[in-house]
Amino acid sequence: MTTLGILGGGQLGRMLAMAAARLGIDCHIYCPDAGSPAARVSAAATVAGYHDEGALSLFAEAVDAVTTEFENVPAATARFLAARVPVHPSAEALEIAQDRVAEKSFLNGIGIETAPWRSVDTLDDLNAALDEIGPRGILKTRRLGYDGKGQVRLEGPEDATEAFAAMAGAPAVLEGFAAFEREISVIAARGTDGAVRCYEPGENRHSEGILRTTTVPAQIDAATRNAALAMAERIVSALDYVGVIGVEMFVMEGGALLVNEIAPRVHNTGHWTLEGCAVSQFEQHVRAVCGLPLGDPARHSDAVMENLIGNDIDTVPALLAEPGAALHLYGKGDARPGRKMGHVTRLRARVG
Ligand SMILES: Nc1ncnc2c1ncn2[C@@H]1O[C@H](COP(=O)(O)OP(=O)(O)O)[C@@H](O)[C@H]1O
Ligand SMILES: [Mg+2]
C-alpha cells in the first residue's frame, strides 16, 4: 500500500486525495489548519506548521512520497523532506515559481517570451521602469500573490506613487500591460521517466484577477496550439519537473504567445479534466509523483468549467437540478467574497 503525503489542505489537495483513492493510494495531508478541505477526505492528517521539523520528520516516516498542492510551501520544507523521502515538485521548482523575478528570468533564459518586466524595490525603480516599458503596466508583489491579490494596475506615471505605496514595502515587479486577444493555459505533466503529456489548451476568462471560466478547446489555430504545447514541454523539461504544472499564457494579436506565470501544481484551469478525460489532471499528478506511468490526456468531450466564487454558492440548488451539470463543492465553511467555494463543469460533444 502506498501513502502519498500532500503539503497543503485546500481544494486542490482534496481533489488529489480523491483521485489517489481511486488508484488505491491513501493520502496524508500536512497543513497548519485543522479540518482542512483535503484532510476531511484523507486517511490521515498532520496539523502543524511548515517549519516544525519534528512534525515534518514524523510525516516523512509515515509516507512513501510527498507532493504539494499549494505553491507557497516554503522551499526549505520541501528540501528538509527531500532528504528523507521523494518530493515532487522539487524545492528548486517551487523556488522559481514563488518569485516572479526568478520565474520570469528562468522563462526568458530558456527563450520563452513574457510581458516586458523590471524588478521594483523603490519608487525610483518604478519610475525608471515605467519610462522604459511604457506607461501602462501592472505592479505585482514578487511573492505570495494569487487570485489577483498583491497587484495594482497603472494607467500612467501619475499612478506610480499610489501603486508603489500599495506594495507596502514588499519587493515587486512591474510588467508591461499585455493587450492580449485571449488567455489560455496548458496543463502539462512529466513523469519520473521524463515522459511529457499535455492536455488540450483551455481558454480562460478572469474578472477582478480571479478565474471565472475555462472553455476547452481554446479558440486558437493549430500553429498557436502547437506552439503552446511545445512551450509547456520546454518548461517542464528545463525544470526536470515531475508532476502536473499549469502554464498560463497570453495570446497576442497574430498568435504570438507570452507566458504569464507557471503554477507548479494541479491548476484551476485543469478542473474540466475530471469529466472531460479518462485520466484527470489530479490522477495524472498522483501517477507522476508516485512514479507510475502517465495516463492518456486525450479529451473525449469539450467542456466549460465555471468557478463558484463567494455568493455563487447560492446557485447550488439550481445546479443540483440542472441535467448534465457536474458539481464540485469544496466543503469550505464561509462564502467570503472572492473565495473559491466550488466549480461546475458542463460537457459538450467534442468538435475537432
Ligand atoms: N502583464 C499583464 N497584462 C495584462 N493582463 C495581465 C497581466 N498580468 C496579469 N494580468 C491579468 O491578471 C490576471 C491575474 O494575474 P496573474 O499574474 O496570473 O496573478 P495570480 O498569481 O493572481 O494568478 C491574469 O490572468 C490576467 O488576466
Ligand atoms: Mg495567474
Side-chain angles (χ1 to χ4, degrees), residues 87-166:
V87 178
H88 297 294
S90 66
E92 291 72 30
L94 292 177
E95 256 163 358
I96 288 173
Q98 284 171 357
D99 178 352
R100 294 188 192 276
V101 167
E103 178 178 58
K104 290 172 198 302
S105 304
F106 160 74
L107 291 167
N108 297 159
I110 60 167
I112 289 179
E113 264 197 83
T114 57
W117 61 274
R118 294 288 184 279
S119 217
V120 170
D121 295 326
T122 64
L123 183 57
D124 283 349
D125 290 347
L126 178 56
N127 283 317
L130 283 166
D131 254 8
E132 288 173 46
I133 63 182
R136 291 184 76 205
I138 303 188
L139 188 64
K140 304 180 180 178
T141 55
R142 279 174 64 161
R143 306 180 70 86
L144 300 173
Y146 70 100
D147 288 349
K149 292 183 175 60
Q151 303 194 8
V152 186
R153 291 194 179 203
L154 293 92
E155 297 300 329
E158 65 282 3
D159 295 338
T161 307
E162 200 177 314
F164 184 74

Side-chain angles (χ1 to χ4, degrees), residues 100 140 146-148 151 183 206 209 248 260-261 265 267:
R100 294 188 192 276
K140 304 180 180 178
Y146 70 100
D147 288 349
Q151 303 194 8
E183 285 190 82
H206 294 80
E248 300 177 11
N260 172 36
E261 62 174 351
R265 51 175 170 75
H267 196 248

Side-chain angles (χ1 to χ4, degrees), residues 11-341:
Q11 66 266 20
L12 301 178
R14 182 176 174 99
M15 290 184 274
L16 281 171
M18 292 193 289
R22 228 179 64 169
L23 295 182
I25 295 170
D26 283 347
C27 287
H28 183 149
I29 305 300
Y30 188 108
C31 156
D33 310 310
S36 65
R40 299 210 310 279
V41 301
S42 294
T46 298
V47 179
Y50 292 120
H51 297 289
D52 182 340
E53 294 192 349
L56 288 170
S57 297
L58 291 173
F59 175 65
E61 279 169 30
V63 302
D64 301 295
V66 169
T67 190
T68 46
E69 64 94 52
F70 162 60
E71 71 200 64
N72 289 315
V73 167
T77 304
R79 229 169 242 125
F80 180 87
L81 291 168
R84 293 159 177 81
V85 64
V87 178
H88 297 294
S90 66
E92 291 72 30
L94 292 177
E95 256 163 358
I96 288 173
Q98 284 171 357
D99 178 352
R100 294 188 192 276
V101 167
E103 178 178 58
K104 290 172 198 302
S105 304
F106 160 74
L107 291 167
N108 297 159
I110 60 167
I112 289 179
E113 264 197 83
T114 57
W117 61 274
R118 294 288 184 279
S119 217
V120 170
D121 295 326
T122 64
L123 183 57
D124 283 349
D125 290 347
L126 178 56
N127 283 317
L130 283 166
D131 254 8
E132 288 173 46
I133 63 182
R136 291 184 76 205
I138 303 188
L139 188 64
K140 304 180 180 178
T141 55
R142 279 174 64 161
R143 306 180 70 86
L144 300 173
Y146 70 100
D147 288 349
K149 292 183 175 60
Q151 303 194 8
V152 186
R153 291 194 179 203
L154 293 92
E155 297 300 329
E158 65 282 3
D159 295 338
T161 307
E162 200 177 314
F164 184 74
M167 299 294 106
V173 59
L174 180 76
E175 290 181 24
F177 188 82
F180 52 77
E181 265 183 356
R182 58 190 85 243
E183 285 190 82
I184 64 168
S185 53
V186 176
I187 307 300
R190 188 164 176 275
T192 45
D193 59 356
V196 178
R197 300 275 182 279
C198 295
Y199 291 92
E200 183 65 27
E203 185 161 334
N204 306 319
R205 294 255 150 75
H206 294 80
S207 88
E208 289 156 24
I210 307 181
L211 181 73
R212 297 286 157 171
T213 61
T214 296
T215 302
V216 181
Q219 295 301 301
I220 50 177
D221 61 27
T224 307
R225 173 182 181 274
N226 293 338
L229 298 178
M231 258 183 204
E233 180 153 0
R234 192 170 342 149
I235 290 168
V236 288
S237 300
L239 288 171
D240 196 18
Y241 191 83
V242 172
V244 164
I245 197 169
V247 183
E248 300 177 11
M249 303 178 186
F250 299 143
V251 184
M252 308 302 286
E253 203 186 327
L257 293 170
L258 306 180
V259 170
N260 172 36
E261 62 174 351
I262 58 177
R265 51 175 170 75
V266 289
H267 196 248
N268 195 169
T269 66
H271 289 2
W272 67 274
T273 61
L274 282 165
E275 284 79 27
C277 305
V279 176
S280 73
Q281 66 163 348
F282 301 99
E283 178 175 338
Q284 195 76 298
H285 186 77
V286 170
R287 288 183 183 220
V289 301
C290 292
L292 300 171
L294 297 184
D296 179 9
R299 76 189 192 287
H300 53 72
S301 301
D302 291 346
V304 181
M305 187 284 315
E306 185 186 341
N307 271 338
L308 302 176
I309 297 167
N311 284 338
D312 293 349
I313 198 77
D314 298 341
T315 63
V316 163
L319 293 170
L320 286 167
E322 182 186 323
L327 179 64
H328 298 256
L329 297 173
Y330 305 150
K332 295 181 180 174
D334 186 13
R336 290 193 297 270
R339 193 171 197 204
K340 289 174 179 167
M341 302 302 292

